[in-house]
Amino acid sequence: MRSLTPDQCRALQDWLGCLQRILQWEADHDFVNSRGRSGHFAEVLARGLAEAPLAPLRDDPTCGELRTGFSAYSTWPPRQRRHWVVRTRQWLHQQRLHIQGQPASPPPDQPPQGLQSPLTQVKGIGPRLAASLTDAGLRRMDDLLRHYPRDYIDYSRLLRIRGLRPGETVTVVGAVRRRHAFVSSRNPNLTVLELQLQDATGRLRVTRFYMGRRFTSPKWLQRQRRLFPPGATVAASGLVKAGPYGLSLQDPLLEVLNTGPVTPAASPSRRILPVYPPIEGVSAEGLRRAVQAVLPMACQQQDHLTAPWRQCFGVIPLAEAFRAIHQPPSPAALQAARHRLVFDEFLELQLRLLRRRQRQRVQAMADLTVAGASDLAAAFLALLPFQLTTAQERVLHQVRSDLQGTTPMGRLVQGDVGCGKTVVATIALLEVIAAGGQGALMAPTEVLAAQHYRKLCDWMVQLHVPVAMLTGSTPERQRQAVLRDLATGAVKLVVGTHALLEEPVMFLRLGLVVIDEQHRFGVHQRSRLLNKGEAPHLLTMTATPIPRTLALSIHGDLEVSQIDELPPGRQPVTTTILTPGEREQAYGAIRTAASRGERAYVILPLVDESDKLKLRSAVQEHQRLARTVFPHLHVALLHGRLTPGAKQEVLEAFVSGKAQVLVSTTVVEVGMDVPEATVMVVDHAERFGLAQLHQLRGRIGRGQAPSQCFLVSESRQAVARQRLEVLTRSQDGFEIAEMDLRFRGPGQVLGTRQSGLPDLALASLTSDGAVLEQARDAAKRLLNDDPQLHTVPQLRARLVAQSARQASASRLN
């Protein structure tokens, strides 16, 4: 392979690292050809190998052979699959070694220097250590500097073992007196690591549990014994528990500080000791020494924020922040360092989002003049049997102001189920149609799209506005007619699913795009629909409220409106937590509701039984309920594997009352509007997020009758119980979303694939909201004073580099 530029090296390293992570995931899951959002493992790997960033790799015979093998991977026995995964990992590792062994050829105008230099150029970091760090994604000095400590041990505040009290969360440092790693005799998949720690005041038993087959191998057990040799100094952080054999720490975080005794007196300059996230093959002390070797380089770098900007934003210099985050002289200095680095992460994120919005605003607007409240919108309001709420009026005013502006609207409307978002969106669509444009409403599922279409048909027929629906199951003849009418402008409003993104769909004059349940669509999908018009307006909606910190982090290029008021007359839903033995209480409520002509949902997490997850399934539960629990009621079954026609039959039976009980998966989470439904039972409720449970609960309580929601949970964990109790106390979707964020973290709340969740090394969306607000204000001020960021060239270069890396990663994904 010819000599590579630094950019080529980085792209190649990113590609290698991504494939190795996918292969590791498959190995961890016993070579079952795991399925993810991008397809099955073998499909993703074959696609990834075909998209190697360099032509010599794509043309390599071994690469071609591996790619071909993965096309048959699903038919192989586990042993052959394992062999192919190992062989692929070895080939990728050889490519990595080849890159590390050759000198990169920098472009003549930009030689690698400073923090962008590879770790192999740092004195004190040898080839072996550099290879281990590279495998963990730490390739340059800058990467290692930003591998921040996950915790700190303050020797001035350490508790002695004799002073521990049950119920406290503490960090203790002691010497390993004994250690024992073994596989449980009761559970062959459970491995136990027991340590006995000793300090000058006493001894403490520390126990860690590892669940999984890969932790039971003799090699792994031997590695644990080598990691904690007798005499090694270990820091253990966790909850103190009292037991029959004295105090202990259950499942704590463990950090080997030194393989031999160490005392605070021996290292007075390191009174506060950083504890880093562990890296395979690198000891804690070795990692600390590597960071110390790089720190002097940080002090030589020019800050990407000039002194006037630092003073304006109230942050310390970057070099000082790096020094204090890795070598904190005091808690106050550590806090100031963390604030600066968190501020930097949020600032770069907000600048990217605001610059994207800036680019959208300078696009040429479609030739549409929305003058204000049109006669068409007034006629629609006259059709409604109710008055708009104050919150709807407020948001509608914001939307109309955007539509009358000189730049394309970009707005996110949040609100609980039933708050009236669709009415506001319909008025916006009518304003654009009255101005001579077309509107498109995209929903994530056919069920939701069909519900929107039925509602809009009822209204639009009376207003003489042509409306059509386009989904994946639209018959071909009808599809061709819709495509023709959209292209000629005969259809003014189209409702659809992802089918609207397809190439044949063309508009004569697309003026407004409305996206419902926007969190289920990616940024690129949103852009594809917007690109079908000349800079059309964008209005996105969600009934799953997103906490403000998340909204600013992911949708910072959109203005955010909240409809925080429900229409009058809506009945609150009573929520009760039940154990599996108390299910009869829920069944009694269903029978009572059915006797009054009302209907009920029973929600389950799985369609079919699973060998790995011992959970009830929708198919199994439907049979049981229909035969033994509700033999005199019509029990219907709905899940995502049914054909569109079968789904429609089930929905019509439930809406009409022919079926009184609907057993379903989360396919009913959106798109179901049945006012007669008053009871919901969610089985294995601990498997769902709070926001999702709140969304499901929104399927009932849509009429005037009181409604009940039963959450059946067999989990004995205190945290699981606390999560569910939030729903029994609150009906506020925004409060529930905030609690969900705190319990589960942003990755699980949104889903890491489609959310576009920012990659934050130090900042926390759950606890750094104030810094995020400060960074957003700072980004706005920077762009107002210097739209091209000429006064902060290094910051501008970082943004360009990050955009390039993200573009490279998105191509592989």
Side-chain angles (χ1 to χ4, degrees):
M1 196 183 298
R2 59 182 172 79
S3 191
L4 305 178
T5 67
D7 286 341
Q8 288 175 323
C9 276
R10 280 195 291 273
L12 200 51
Q13 295 278 19
D14 290 339
W15 175 75
L16 291 168
C18 183
L19 291 191
Q20 288 283 23
R21 286 192 293 274
I22 296 171
L23 288 159
Q24 180 64 54
W25 174 269
E26 176 70 359
D28 291 345
H29 289 76
D30 299 326
F31 310 98
V32 295
N33 199 21
S34 315
R35 180 173 177 81
R37 290 189 177 91
S38 300
H40 284 92
F41 157 76
E43 301 166 5
V44 175
L45 238 294
R47 196 161 59 239
L49 289 169
E51 295 177 356
L54 298 178
L57 278 178
R58 293 193 295 271
D59 300 336
D60 186 291
T62 305
C63 183
E65 183 186 351
L66 292 171
R67 194 165 62 239
T68 303
F70 278 112
S71 64
Y73 183 87
S74 60
T75 64
W76 291 345
R79 187 170 182 178
Q80 190 175 356
R81 293 182 183 183
R82 178 190 180 94
H83 167 75
W84 209 252
V85 167
V86 170
R87 186 179 171 193
T88 307
R89 298 197 70 176
Q90 289 172 343
W91 182 76
L92 292 172
H93 185 62
Q94 289 169 359
Q95 306 313 309
R96 187 189 294 280
L97 294 178
H98 184 70
I99 300 168
Q100 294 167 356
Q102 68 163 0
S105 59
D109 58 334
Q110 193 180 7
Q113 56 181 350
L115 296 180
Q116 299 305 309
S117 302
L119 290 174
T120 50
Q121 296 183 8
V122 179
K123 186 177 181 181
I125 299 181
R128 231 170 140 186
L129 177 56
S132 296
L133 295 173
T134 298
D135 286 338
L138 308 177
R139 305 178 185 94
R140 302 182 299 272
M141 297 185 191
D142 188 48
D143 297 331
L144 190 54
L145 274 177
R146 296 179 188 276
H147 186 70
Y148 300 120
R150 62 171 168 82
D151 201 357
Y152 296 88
I153 298 172
D154 188 345
Y155 279 105
S156 67
R157 297 185 178 182
L158 279 182
L159 283 176
R160 294 299 192 179
I161 290 175
R162 183 186 295 169
L164 299 182
R165 297 290 181 269
E168 295 179 331
T169 299
V170 300
T171 297
V172 295
V173 173
V176 176
R177 191 166 182 269
R178 283 199 298 266
R179 80 319 189 211
H180 186 31
F182 59 95
V183 178
S184 169
S185 57
R186 295 183 179 180
N187 187 343
N189 289 325
L190 177 66
T191 299
V192 183
L193 171 67
E194 287 185 349
L195 302 177
Q196 188 182 71
L197 300 183
Q198 179 176 7
D199 68 6
T201 66
R203 298 173 184 172
L204 178 70
R205 187 166 57 88
V206 173
T207 308
R208 280 215 67 176
F209 301 98
Y210 299 88
M211 179 63 73
R213 197 175 299 173
R214 67 192 180 101
F215 299 116
T216 61
S217 68
K219 185 177 179 181
W220 190 89
L221 293 171
Q222 188 59 36
R223 188 161 67 243
Q224 298 309 299
R225 297 184 187 107
R226 287 198 305 268
L227 188 61
F228 300 98
T233 304
V234 172
S237 303
L239 180 69
V240 181
K241 291 189 175 182
Y245 303 104
L247 298 181
S248 67
L249 291 184
Q250 291 290 333
D251 255 0
L253 291 173
L254 298 176
E255 173 80 4
V256 179
L257 303 180
N258 205 302
T259 52
V262 67
T263 63
S267 53
S269 64
R270 292 167 64 180
R271 190 170 58 89
I272 302 178
L273 189 71
V275 179
Y276 292 94
I279 292 177
E280 185 73 26
V282 182
S283 68
E285 190 60 31
L287 183 54
R288 272 191 286 271
R289 282 198 300 267
V291 173
Q292 302 305 318
V294 172
L295 265 181
M297 290 296 300
C299 305
Q300 300 171 16
Q301 296 303 302
Q302 184 179 358
D303 201 323
H304 55 257
L305 287 180
T306 59
W309 282 120
R310 291 200 302 270
Q311 187 175 3
C312 175
F313 300 148
V315 294
I316 64 174
L318 186 59
E320 184 180 333
F322 276 134
R323 243 193 333 264
I325 201 75
H326 292 291
Q327 290 182 339
S330 67
L334 174 59
Q335 183 60 32
R338 188 182 183 281
H339 181 271
R340 166 65 202 266
L341 296 171
V342 167
F343 175 84
D344 273 8
E345 289 188 7
F346 282 144
L347 178 65
E348 291 174 11
L349 169 66
Q350 293 301 316
L351 282 172
R352 289 201 303 275
L353 292 169
L354 292 173
R355 290 180 85 191
R356 184 164 71 196
R357 182 66 182 142
Q358 200 178 54
R359 289 192 295 271
Q360 293 169 353
R361 287 182 178 276
V362 299
Q363 291 178 339
M365 277 282 293
D367 185 19
L368 290 171
T369 303
V370 180
S374 65
D375 293 340
L376 196 57
F380 169 69
L381 288 169
L383 294 176
L384 298 178
F386 52 82
Q387 296 289 323
L388 297 186
T389 64
T390 305
Q392 284 176 303
E393 293 277 10
R394 182 184 69 248
V395 173
L396 180 57
H397 175 72
Q398 295 168 345
V399 170
R400 277 178 165 154
S401 297
D402 289 347
L403 292 175
Q404 295 168 38
T406 57
T407 58
M409 172 177 70
R411 185 167 290 275
L412 165 66
V413 176
Q414 296 192 99
D416 261 337
V417 174
C419 69
K421 299 181 298 298
T422 305
V423 170
V424 173
T426 302
I427 296 172
L429 287 164
L430 290 173
E431 298 288 20
V432 168
I433 291 170
Q438 291 170 288
L441 194 162
M442 186 167 68
T445 66
E446 290 197 16
V447 171
L448 183 54
Q451 177 188 308
H452 282 312
Y453 180 66
R454 285 193 299 270
K455 272 188 179 179
L456 289 171
C457 280
D458 291 341
W459 293 327
M460 297 301 153
V461 167
Q462 302 176 71
L463 299 172
H464 307 292
V465 173
V467 59
M469 185 166 79
L470 188 65
T471 68
S473 60
T474 302
E476 185 59 28
R477 181 177 295 180
Q478 184 180 340
R479 174 190 298 274
Q480 292 303 322
V482 172
L483 293 177
R484 184 174 58 252
D485 290 343
L486 283 174
T488 61
V491 167
K492 298 297 183 184
L493 175 58
V494 64
V495 181
T497 56
H498 296 76
L500 294 177
L501 305 176
E502 295 173 1
E503 288 299 327
V505 179
M506 297 179 63
F507 294 84
L508 179 67
R509 203 178 186 193
L510 182 59
L512 172 61
V513 170
V514 177
I515 299 179
D516 198 6
E517 295 302 316
Q518 54 77 38
H519 61 283
R520 298 197 178 196
F521 295 96
V523 174
H524 296 296
Q525 291 172 317
R526 190 172 80 187
S527 299
R528 280 180 65 184
L529 187 51
L530 289 172
N531 288 337
K532 294 180 181 290
E534 296 180 16
H537 298 288
L538 172 67
L539 180 66
T540 67
M541 306 186 297
T542 180
T544 305
I546 303 171
R548 179 167 174 79
T549 52
L550 278 183
L552 288 179
S553 301
I554 299 159
H555 306 294
D557 55 336
L558 303 175
E559 300 298 328
V560 180
S561 298
Q562 293 185 355
I563 301 180
D564 50 7
E565 180 183 358
L566 288 176
R570 289 292 297 270
Q571 296 291 325
V573 178
T574 303
T575 304
T576 306
I577 303 173
L578 301 179
T579 64
E582 297 172 324
R583 277 196 181 91
E584 189 53 43
Q585 181 180 338
Y587 297 155
I590 291 177
R591 294 188 188 96
T592 302
S595 68
R596 295 196 298 255
E598 297 165 4
R599 300 191 259 301
Y601 296 96
V602 178
I603 308 297
L604 295 110
L606 300 178
V607 176
D608 290 314
E609 289 184 85
S610 167
D611 293 333
K612 293 192 173 183
L613 299 174
K614 301 302 179 184
L615 305 176
R616 290 170 177 251
S617 69
V619 173
Q620 175 192 27
E621 190 69 356
H622 170 255
Q623 295 172 351
R624 189 182 73 86
L625 293 177
R627 291 174 182 172
T628 61
V629 182
F630 305 120
H632 303 299
L633 300 178
H634 183 178
V635 182
L637 173 66
L638 181 67
H639 54 74
R641 296 183 191 170
L642 295 178
T643 63
K647 284 182 188 176
Q648 195 59 38
E649 286 183 17
V650 172
L651 291 174
E652 288 175 358
F654 188 65
V655 171
S656 66
K658 181 181 177 183
Q660 295 88 19
V661 181
L662 181 62
V663 179
S664 175
T665 58
T666 55
V667 71
V668 299
E669 183 181 345
V670 294
M672 292 294 291
D673 187 6
V674 183
E676 295 80 10
T678 59
V679 179
M680 173 171 284
V681 180
V682 183
D683 225 323
H684 301 292
E686 74 279 357
R687 309 285 302 187
F688 301 90
L690 290 184
Q692 188 177 32
L693 286 171
H694 179 63
Q695 181 83 321
L696 286 167
R697 182 172 62 176
R699 299 305 103 200
I700 59 176
R702 304 175 78 87
Q704 299 300 316
S707 298
Q708 297 173 279
C709 179
F710 297 95
L711 305 177
V712 182
S713 172
E714 57 186 22
S715 175
R716 298 180 180 178
Q717 294 182 351
V719 174
R721 181 82 183 187
Q722 289 171 3
R723 286 179 58 245
L724 297 180
E725 285 175 350
V726 171
L727 290 165
T728 66
R729 298 192 304 266
S730 178
Q731 304 276 334
D732 185 344
F734 294 98
E735 178 189 352
I736 290 169
E738 290 285 352
M739 294 303 296
D740 205 16
L741 178 65
R742 293 185 180 278
F743 275 118
R744 298 199 301 156
Q748 282 187 293
V749 168
L750 289 171
T752 55
R753 275 281 304 157
Q754 294 236 352
S755 67
L757 193 66
D759 184 14
L760 303 173
L762 188 61
S764 166
L765 294 177
T766 58
S767 57
D768 291 322
V771 187
L772 173 58
E773 299 273 5
Q774 179 195 1
R776 185 166 176 82
D777 292 340
K780 287 180 177 178
R781 183 164 180 177
L782 256 175
L783 291 176
N784 286 337
D785 292 2
D786 182 11
Q788 301 303 319
L789 302 179
H790 290 308
T791 59
V792 282
Q794 289 189 323
L795 180 57
R796 182 182 180 183
R798 283 185 62 83
L799 294 175
V800 171
Q802 286 175 354
S803 298
R805 284 199 296 271
Q806 287 178 347
S808 173
S810 67
R811 282 195 297 272
L812 181 59
N813 288 336

